[in-house]
């Protein structure tokens, strides 16, 4: 409400001045605008037109606002190379920085050149860290080693064909094993390899040497049936 009253009073005042100018009683030079404070919006717009110092050709300014004279050596920022202030602006050193180690895991930029603060000396495999040349088995069938290159090289076990028809898998072992030794099928009966086995009253069988997957070789013998009276 107060702002509305001030606005109405200002418009009335401007109307009165306009009438006086028309009648020739008051000249524009006789009006002192300082007697009538400007609105807040007018004050804000006037602040936007402030003119800051221009140091071009006279000095240089760093990131913190400090001014340096021509010929003075300074650091423009926290991680910049040193510079010399000239009339054309800062002329900074551009040294040939050493290369960052490819295994570097922590780089700091506190000076002119970046510095490696930590070099990786371990391998990471499936979320776990291993020392250089450390050997480990992530699974029963894998054998791995942490190489000096920080890479993990693994070998997967190549299981030999089991020499039986009923191999089993033991805990913590990759390849199946024949717990009862080599064997083969004689019909539906499993017989051990290396010996002859009488499977019934008339047949004697044996496994093929090295060919466990083949059915047993059988031969008929004289059947020992019961004698009838």
């Amino acid at each position: 409400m107060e702002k509305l009253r001030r606005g109405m009073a200002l418009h009335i005042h401007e109307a009165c001045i306009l009438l006086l100018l028309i009648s020739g009683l008051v000249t524009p030079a006789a009006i002192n605008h300082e007697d009538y404070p400007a609105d807040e919006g007018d004050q804000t717009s006037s602040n936007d037109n402030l003119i800051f110092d221009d140091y071009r050709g006279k000095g240089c300014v760093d990131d913190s606002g400090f001014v340096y004279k021509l010929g003075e050596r300074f650091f423009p920022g926290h991680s910049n190379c040193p510079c010399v202030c000239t009339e054309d602006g800062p002329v900074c050193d551009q040294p040939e920085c050493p290369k960052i180690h490819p295994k570097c895991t922590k780089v700091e930029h506190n000076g002119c050149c970046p510095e490696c603060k930590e070099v990786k000396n371990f391998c990471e495999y499936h979320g776990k860290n291993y020392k250089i040349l450390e050997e480990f088995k992530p699974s029963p069938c894998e054998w791995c080693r942490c190489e000096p290159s920080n890479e993990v090289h693994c070998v997967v076990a190549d299981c030999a064909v089991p020499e039986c028809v009923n191999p089993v898998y033991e805990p913590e072992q990759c390849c199946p094993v024949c717990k009862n030794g080599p064997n083969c099928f004689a019909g539906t009966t499993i017989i051990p390899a290396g010996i002859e086995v009488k499977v019934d009253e008339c047949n004697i069988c044996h496994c093929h040497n090295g060919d466990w997957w083949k059915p047993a070789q059988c031969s008929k013998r004289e059947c020992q049936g019961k004698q009838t009276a």
Side-chain angles (χ1 to χ4, degrees):
M1 193 66 183
E2 178 65 23
K3 190 173 182 180
L4 178 61
R5 287 198 295 269
R6 290 177 57 192
M8 294 178 62
L10 182 61
H11 290 312
I12 295 173
H13 171 73
E14 291 174 349
C16 292
I17 292 176
L18 181 61
L19 290 175
L20 291 173
L21 288 173
I22 293 173
S23 60
L25 298 177
V26 178
T27 62
I31 302 174
N32 186 2
H33 292 283
E34 292 181 357
D35 296 337
Y36 304 95
D39 249 356
E40 294 179 2
D42 296 332
Q43 292 176 356
T44 303
S45 61
S46 62
N47 290 336
D48 294 337
N49 297 325
L50 291 176
I51 299 175
F52 295 94
D53 293 335
D54 187 359
Y55 293 99
R56 286 177 297 182
K58 304 175 185 177
C60 302
V61 183
D62 65 7
D63 292 348
S64 302
F66 289 99
V67 180
Y68 296 87
K69 299 177 182 179
L70 295 179
E72 194 170 0
R73 194 172 180 83
F74 70 103
F75 288 88
H78 179 64
S79 62
N80 296 97
C81 295
C83 305
V84 175
C85 182
T86 69
E87 292 185 355
D88 298 325
V91 176
C92 302
D93 295 348
Q94 295 181 345
E96 185 175 350
C97 297
K99 294 182 178 180
I100 298 296
H101 197 285
K103 299 178 185 178
C104 186
T105 57
K106 184 178 180 182
V107 180
E108 289 187 359
H109 300 271
N110 294 327
C112 183
C113 293
E115 294 182 67
C116 179
K117 294 297 183 181
E118 186 175 326
V119 177
K120 181 180 179 181
N121 58 354
F122 61 90
C123 300
E124 185 176 354
Y125 189 77
H126 291 176
K128 294 183 178 180
N129 295 337
Y130 299 92
K131 297 178 182 179
I132 300 297
L133 300 181
E134 182 179 358
E135 298 178 357
F136 57 97
K137 292 185 67 176
S139 72
C141 293
E142 290 180 286
W143 175 86
C144 302
R145 186 174 74 169
C146 175
E147 301 294 343
S149 61
N150 301 112
E151 296 179 350
V152 174
H153 290 174
C154 296
V155 176
V156 179
D158 186 11
C159 296
V161 178
E163 297 180 349
C164 60
V165 294
N166 56 348
V168 295
Y169 285 89
E170 294 287 347
E172 301 302 323
Q173 289 191 13
C174 176
C175 299
V177 295
C178 297
K179 296 187 69 175
N180 299 318
N183 56 37
C184 65
F185 276 113
T188 58
T189 303
I190 297 176
I191 63 173
I195 60 173
E196 290 185 341
V197 179
K198 187 177 182 180
V199 295
D200 56 31
E201 294 290 337
C202 302
N203 295 298
I204 295 178
C205 304
H206 66 272
C207 296
H208 294 273
N209 291 331
D211 298 333
W212 59 267
W213 62 89
K214 293 182 179 180
Q217 186 176 2
C218 299
S219 59
K220 286 186 178 291
R221 300 291 176 90
E222 185 178 349
C223 298
Q224 297 179 357
K226 292 183 179 180
Q227 296 182 353
T228 56

